[in-house]
């Protein structure tokens, strides 16, 4: 038998275990293994290696599960306690934003009136209004950034992409 | 006739099994969304051996594996809402564990994630010094009287990992690709090399 046949048999032995092989290849391999002691030995070694891997035992340290359960419960409690604060912060942002939108026309008039009364240039009181308007938005952005920061550099690996 | 009947029965059993598995995954996903403490307790119990074994294999160190074990479950609690139940829970769990180890390794020895996971790099994800008896070797030697089992620790961690996922955890190649965040072809090539290394280690040859 030439080397190519042995090489094919060895490749199929590995392939059969890793991803499976078509029935035709399986039949060919079975026949070859009956005839070739060298490849049969190779198949036995492969099987032995995998059996050793499957049967290898690693003892879990005693109490590891209960210690972990305790830590997880503590962390869950922490998260639960922090939840109302987070909600309050988001609510404050939302209210501030809604109030900003609703009151914008009145505040504009107020700035206009104040500008005319004090003789402040139009550009200045307009800028003042703009600043007043952007504060809730800036506050919102800061809160969002803080939330992102708190969650850490959450990457795609925890998401199910496949 | 009987062959057809048994074939149909087997097909039905397989469908039923996969439907049950899907239901289980969905129910886990719902529980994780709620951060259900009882569910987490049950999952920790249920997966303790498999997760710990996987961590020992990839870190090569039992004490470190214990730390990562606890951190993994904390992450599961915090990021549980990201599991949608469309894939096996264990695949998602192993992915979390693996990335914690990679993050730790990256902070210890600054280098890019690509370097760690590039199969063409020599001995990527090498957490243990392969030239000295590793803690994993010691763990295995203590826990098994057979030298043949201890010799498995000579295999580079990146190959040990795929062998464990495929032949101990019995994950599909597609699921492994998800856990490892690499293409299918990379998973296969690592598996072939790992199998070769395993055979070599057990025969007492160089890996």
């Amino acid at each position: 038998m030439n080397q190519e046949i042995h090489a094919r048999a060895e490749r199929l032995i590995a392939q059969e275990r890793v991803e499976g092989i078509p029935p035709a290849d399986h039949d060919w391999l079975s026949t070859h293994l009956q005839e070739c002691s060298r490849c049969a030995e190779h198949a036995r070694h492969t099987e032995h290696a995998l059996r050793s891997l499957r049967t290898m035992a690693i003892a879990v340290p005693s109490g590891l599960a209960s210690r972990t359960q305790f830590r997880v419960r503590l962390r869950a409690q922490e998260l639960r306690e922090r939840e109302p604060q987070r909600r309050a912060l988001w609510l404050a942002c939302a209210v501030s934003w809604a109030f900003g939108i609703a009151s914008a026309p009145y505040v504009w008039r107020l700035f206009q009136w104040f500008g005319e009364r004090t003789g402040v240039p139009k550009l200045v009181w307009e800028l003042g209004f703009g600043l007043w308007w952007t504060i809730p938005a800036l506050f919102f952005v800061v809160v969002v950034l803080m939330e992102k920061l708190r969650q850490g550099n959450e990457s795609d690996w925890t998401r199910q992409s496949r | 006739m009987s062959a057809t009947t048994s074939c149909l029965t087997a097909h039905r059993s397989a469908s039923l099994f996969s439907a049950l598995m899907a239901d289980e995954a969905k129910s886990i996903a719902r529980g994780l969304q709620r951060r259900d403490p009882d569910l987490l307790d049950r999952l920790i119990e249920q997966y303790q051996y498999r997760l710990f074994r996987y961590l020992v294999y990839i870190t090569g160190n039992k004490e470190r594996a214990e730390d990562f074990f606890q951190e993994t479950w904390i992450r599961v609690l915090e990021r549980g809402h990201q599991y949608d139940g469309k894939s096996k829970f264990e695949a998602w769990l192993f992915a979390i564990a693996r990335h914690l180890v990679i993050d730790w390794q990256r902070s210890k020895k600054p280098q890019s994630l690509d370097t760690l996971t590039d199969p063409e790099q020599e001995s990527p994800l090498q957490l243990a010094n392969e030239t000295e008896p590793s803690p994993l070797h010691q763990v295995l030697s203590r826990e098994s009287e057979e030298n043949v089992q201890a010799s498995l620790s000579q295999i580079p961690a990146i190959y040990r990992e795929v062998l464990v996922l495929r032949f101990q955890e019995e994950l599909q190649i597609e699921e492994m690709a998800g856990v490892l965040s690499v293409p299918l072809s990379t998973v296969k090539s690592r598996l072939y090399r790992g199998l070769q290394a395993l055979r070599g280690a057990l025969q007492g040859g160089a890996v």
Side-chain angles (χ1 to χ4, degrees):
Chain A
M1 262 178 252
N2 65 33
Q3 278 307 110
E4 276 180 27
I5 290 176
H6 295 307
R8 185 188 175 201
E10 284 179 14
R11 188 172 47 79
L12 287 176
I13 288 166
Q15 196 183 341
E16 189 175 29
R17 275 131 188 114
V18 170
E19 50 187 321
I21 53 174
D25 284 342
H26 181 79
D27 293 344
W28 180 87
L29 183 62
S30 301
T31 312
H32 178 73
L33 291 182
Q34 281 167 5
E35 294 164 357
C36 174
S37 59
R38 182 188 131 176
C39 290
E41 183 67 8
H42 182 86
R44 265 196 301 279
H45 275 305
T46 305
E47 197 50 49
H48 170 69
L50 290 181
R51 204 179 321 115
S52 300
L53 181 72
R54 285 194 181 105
T55 55
M56 189 157 61
I58 292 175
V60 178
S62 63
L64 179 61
S66 54
R67 283 200 305 277
T68 309
Q69 285 166 339
F70 178 69
R71 267 196 70 188
V72 167
R73 278 183 182 266
L74 272 184
R75 182 78 183 121
Q77 196 180 334
E78 255 177 52
L79 292 173
R80 268 198 304 275
E81 281 166 6
R82 214 190 281 167
E83 194 62 23
Q85 290 172 359
R86 277 188 58 218
R87 281 212 190 124
L89 198 61
W90 279 105
L91 192 68
C93 282
V95 168
S96 134
W97 206 26
F99 181 74
I101 291 169
S103 62
Y106 305 106
V107 176
W108 172 267
R109 273 184 228 150
L110 186 71
F111 270 79
Q112 193 176 28
W113 174 80
F114 187 76
E116 284 164 5
R117 284 285 299 229
T118 55
V120 173
K122 194 182 175 196
L123 187 71
V124 174
W125 68 259
E126 277 178 350
L127 279 173
F129 173 79
L131 194 68
W132 175 85
W133 174 249
T134 49
I135 283 171
L138 285 174
F139 181 60
F140 181 76
V141 169
V142 168
V143 168
V144 169
L145 285 176
M146 278 170 67
E147 271 291 298
K148 290 265 178 206
L149 210 67
R150 193 187 62 76
Q151 285 175 5
N153 50 345
E154 183 178 315
S155 50
D156 285 345
W157 58 266
T158 50
R159 296 182 190 283
Q160 287 175 290
S161 54
R162 289 166 208 267
Chain B
M1 181 71 183
S2 67
T4 315
T5 313
S6 64
C7 185
L8 276 174
T9 312
H11 181 69
R12 269 188 210 143
S13 304
S15 306
L16 191 65
F17 181 71
S18 60
L20 281 173
M21 291 296 285
D23 280 355
E24 168 76 3
K26 291 275 176 202
S27 130
I28 290 175
R30 280 195 298 271
L32 290 178
Q33 292 270 346
R34 293 194 307 271
R35 290 186 176 145
D36 180 353
D38 294 331
L39 172 81
L40 278 156
D41 279 358
R42 184 171 68 77
L43 291 174
I44 292 169
E45 286 279 345
Q46 189 179 336
Y47 289 99
Q48 59 172 317
Y49 179 70
R50 295 170 67 183
L51 178 62
F52 185 70
R53 177 174 62 181
Y54 175 66
L55 284 167
V56 168
Y57 273 107
I58 62 170
T59 61
N61 181 302
K62 208 171 177 181
E63 283 70 35
R64 201 166 289 140
E66 276 190 55
D67 293 341
F68 281 120
F69 181 89
Q70 298 196 9
E71 282 308 314
T72 302
W73 285 109
I74 298 281
R75 284 287 174 106
V76 169
L77 169 77
E78 291 171 349
R79 310 276 164 87
H81 60 276
Q82 290 170 359
Y83 175 63
D84 60 12
K86 285 180 184 163
S87 64
K88 276 186 187 169
F89 173 71
E90 53 264 47
W92 186 72
L93 180 69
F94 291 145
I96 289 186
R98 182 175 201 273
H99 281 87
L100 276 173
V101 174
I102 288 179
D103 286 349
W104 166 77
Q105 191 192 14
R106 199 165 40 180
S107 67
K108 199 182 72 166
K109 201 194 302 178
Q111 51 187 322
S112 78
L113 193 64
D114 288 340
T115 314
L116 294 170
T117 55
D118 184 355
E120 297 311 313
Q121 294 287 326
E122 195 177 341
S123 303
L125 201 71
Q126 286 292 11
L127 301 181
N129 184 351
E130 303 291 340
T131 58
E132 293 168 10
S134 67
L136 176 66
H137 187 282
Q138 291 159 19
V139 168
L140 297 175
S141 300
R142 267 202 305 270
E143 291 172 359
S144 168
E145 291 177 5
E146 293 181 52
N147 289 332
V148 76
Q149 292 190 345
S151 71
L152 294 176
S153 62
Q154 294 169 22
I155 299 171
I158 201 151
Y159 299 138
R160 268 202 313 261
E161 179 183 32
V162 288
L163 291 172
V164 169
L165 290 175
R166 182 78 184 101
F167 299 110
Q168 289 189 329
E169 296 306 331
E170 296 183 343
L171 292 190
Q172 298 299 312
I173 292 174
E174 291 79 8
E175 291 167 340
M176 289 174 65
V179 172
L180 307 175
S181 307
V182 293
L184 287 177
S185 56
T186 306
V187 176
K188 286 181 191 173
S189 78
R190 284 186 197 176
L191 273 168
Y192 286 118
R193 286 182 200 175
L195 196 57
Q196 197 180 351
L198 176 66
R199 215 171 30 225
L202 288 174
Q203 285 172 334
V207 178

